């Protein structure tokens, strides 16, 4: 897995991937004011509006987010010859989005949200929602296919407003070989199964629709268990289900991957899914592994959900967020943080290891460990400790680098470095509720197991991912480079 470090957003932006977005473009309007009385005609609040803010919404928001992340972005959509359409075009132009692919529609779709005292009072929409005529649909399809020839990715945003219909679906299916990476963000993903998407990003309700019934309370487990069904129903190679406060779950032909969200209180934020899709596409188009792309997308979404309105995540935002993450923390600070978590009623999960070259097996076991509690603490063997355990040629990466890579994973809450061969003293200091090790261990092999139980905790051994080890990765690299 590629490290999610502070220099990654700028590196992706420097690649300037060419990405085409096609779909339902919307003008989002936010009206903010005060509501101190009820109207005389009905028991409804009167909102005295003092601020109006407009933003690109729907497929247009995805395009704006892509441009903000450094992508050379073109939008193919249908916009009306009206004032909202002119305002939307202006917003797109100022954001650096190529609007030459926009075709003329009867009317621009506008979503108005009225806010008072930080509460959404009402939303009212304008604009017809219907399938566009044959001429318009054919024009959209033709522009998408022309733009796709030299594009690194095509993002299809189908929110049921009429742009993405059967004409476009047939055209993409017929010319699928010309599209390097097809990402679908649709309210009904099954409509696009015939296009064989590389990646789809359904939310919980859309995933439930693919499965033919509501998701149970443990949504993460349900998505993981039914990954093959989700892929079959959508025709997609990979499915990344976004679960709002529960993060996201990737299911593909590998072991999958879970991200954890930094949730915000329910409010007036909108468009986090568009930001997620945009960041995911930029990372995937650059060839990053999908688990890394999912972590990158989750970080971007976490940024915008803490902002009001239809927000946009930029390269600078991500650089600041990733650079601001604390990697390894010392024992005194870690003890204080764990005490705060425990006082808040959170269960502490603890694990340790060298984590010299982070690989798929590590990610799978850390993800499983995080699900066993509320806070995951990872203790990393210091460099001298690794040399004693693994030999004079190790570690490949110093402890500071290993800690930084681990801290960038959304499943990891705290990282610390210890210099002993075992984390026994650290366990005594933190008294974790659960101590976790990978399936290549048994409890009888762990000297620290007795200490865990003496501190009132439990020992859990999680699944082992075969053929995944740091030694195997290093051997493969050595065999390919040669003398």
């Amino acid at each position: 897995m590629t490290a999610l470090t502070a220099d990654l957003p700028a590196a992706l932006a420097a690649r300037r991937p060419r990405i085409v977005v096609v779909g339902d473009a919307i003008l989002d309007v936010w009206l903010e004011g005060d509501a101190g009385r009820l109207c005389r005609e009905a028991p409804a609040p009167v909102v005295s509006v003092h601020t109006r803010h407009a933003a690109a919404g729907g497929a247009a928001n995805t395009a704006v987010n892509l441009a903000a992340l450094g992508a050379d972005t073109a939008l193919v959509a249908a916009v009306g010859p009206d004032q909202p359409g002119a305002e939307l075009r202006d917003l797109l132009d100022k954001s650096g989005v190529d609007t030459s692919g926009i075709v003329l529609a009867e009317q621009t779709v506008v979503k108005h949200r009225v806010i008072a005292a930080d509460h959404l009072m009402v939303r009212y929409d304008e604009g017809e929602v219907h399938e566009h005529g044959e001429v318009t649909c054919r024009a959209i399809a033709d522009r998408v296919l022309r733009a796709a020839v030299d594009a690194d990715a095509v993002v299809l945003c189908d929110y049921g407003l009429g742009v993405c219909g059967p004409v476009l679906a047939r055209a993409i299916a017929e010319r699928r070989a010309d599209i390097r990476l097809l990402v679908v963000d649709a309210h009904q993903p099954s409509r696009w199964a015939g296009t064989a998407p590389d990646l789809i990003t359904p939310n919980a309700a859309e995933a439930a629709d693919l499965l033919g019934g509501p998701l149970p309370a443990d949504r993460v487990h349900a998505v993981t268990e039914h990954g093959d069904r989700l892929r079959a129903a959508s025709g997609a190679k990979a499915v990344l289900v976004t679960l709002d406060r529960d993060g996201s779950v990737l299911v593909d032909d590998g072991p999958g991957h879970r991200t954890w969200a930094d949730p915000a209180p329910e409010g007036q934020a909108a468009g986090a899914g568009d930001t997620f899709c945009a960041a995911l596409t930029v990372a995937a188009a650059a060839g990053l592994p999908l688990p890394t792309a999912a972590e990158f997308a989750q970080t971007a979404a976490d940024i915008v959900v803490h902002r009001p309105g239809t927000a946009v995540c930029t390269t600078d935002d991500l650089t600041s967020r990733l650079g601001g993450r604390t990697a390894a923390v010392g024992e005194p600070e870690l003890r204080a943080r764990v005490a705060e978590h425990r006082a808040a009623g959170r269960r502490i999960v603890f694990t340790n290891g060298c984590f010299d070259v982070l690989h798929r097996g590590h990610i799978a076991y850390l993800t499983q460990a995080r699900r066993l509690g509320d806070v995951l603490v990872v203790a990393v063997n210091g460099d001298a400790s690794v040399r004693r355990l693994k030999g004079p040629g190790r570690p490949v990466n110093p402890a500071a680098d290993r800690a930084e890579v681990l801290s960038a994973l959304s499943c990891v809450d705290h990282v610390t470095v210890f210099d002993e061969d075992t984390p026994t003293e650290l366990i005594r200091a933190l008294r974790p509720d659960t101590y976790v090790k990978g399936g290549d261990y048994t409890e009888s092999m762990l000297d620290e197991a007795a200490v865990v139980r003496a501190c009132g905790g439990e020992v859990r051994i999680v699944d082992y991912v075969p053929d995944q080890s740091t030694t195997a990765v290093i051997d493969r690299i050595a065999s390919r480079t040669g003398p």
Side-chain angles (χ1 to χ4, degrees), residues 312-458:
V312 173
C313 179
T314 68
T315 296
D316 288 343
D317 290 332
L318 281 164
T319 299
S320 177
R321 176 71 170 243
L322 294 172
R325 284 178 171 170
T326 302
V329 297
E331 183 181 329
E333 182 179 353
L334 181 59
R335 289 175 67 175
R337 293 188 185 185
V338 167
E340 291 174 0
H341 289 307
R342 184 164 281 120
R346 304 184 185 105
R347 288 184 57 82
I348 309 302
V349 181
F350 180 96
T351 191
N352 67 282
C354 299
F355 301 102
D356 196 2
V357 178
L358 201 66
H359 54 70
R360 192 181 77 182
H362 289 141
I363 303 299
Y365 122 66
L366 289 172
T367 298
Q368 290 183 66
R370 178 60 175 77
R371 294 192 67 187
L372 297 176
D374 304 302
V375 177
L376 176 60
V377 177
V378 180
V380 178
N381 290 76
D383 294 344
S385 175
V386 174
R387 280 192 290 274
R388 290 194 299 271
L389 294 171
K390 302 293 184 180
R394 303 280 294 276
V396 173
N397 296 302
D401 289 356
R402 290 181 278 130
E404 184 174 354
V405 172
L406 284 166
S407 69
L409 296 174
S410 61
C411 62
V412 176
D413 295 287
H414 303 295
V415 180
T416 192
V417 176
F418 68 100
D419 294 319
E420 299 77 21
D421 291 345
T422 69
T424 300
E425 294 306 314
L426 196 54
I427 290 170
R428 286 196 178 99
L430 300 179
R431 303 179 67 87
D433 298 287
T434 305
Y435 176 60
V436 179
K437 290 295 284 185
D440 48 345
Y441 288 88
T442 63
E443 188 170 338
S444 62
M445 298 167 60
L446 302 170
D447 294 337
E448 53 269 41
V451 178
V452 173
R453 297 200 180 281
C455 292
E458 64 171 344

Side-chain angles (χ1 to χ4, degrees), residues 118 244-245 264-268:
D118 293 329
D244 45 79
R245 298 180 66 85
E266 293 294 332
Q268 70 267 31

Side-chain angles (χ1 to χ4, degrees), residues 78-82 103-109 127-133 136:
V79 174
D82 43 31
V103 301
L104 197 62
E106 296 178 12
Q107 188 177 3
T108 304
V109 175
E128 293 292 331
V129 178
H130 58 75
E131 187 76 28
H132 293 286
T136 300

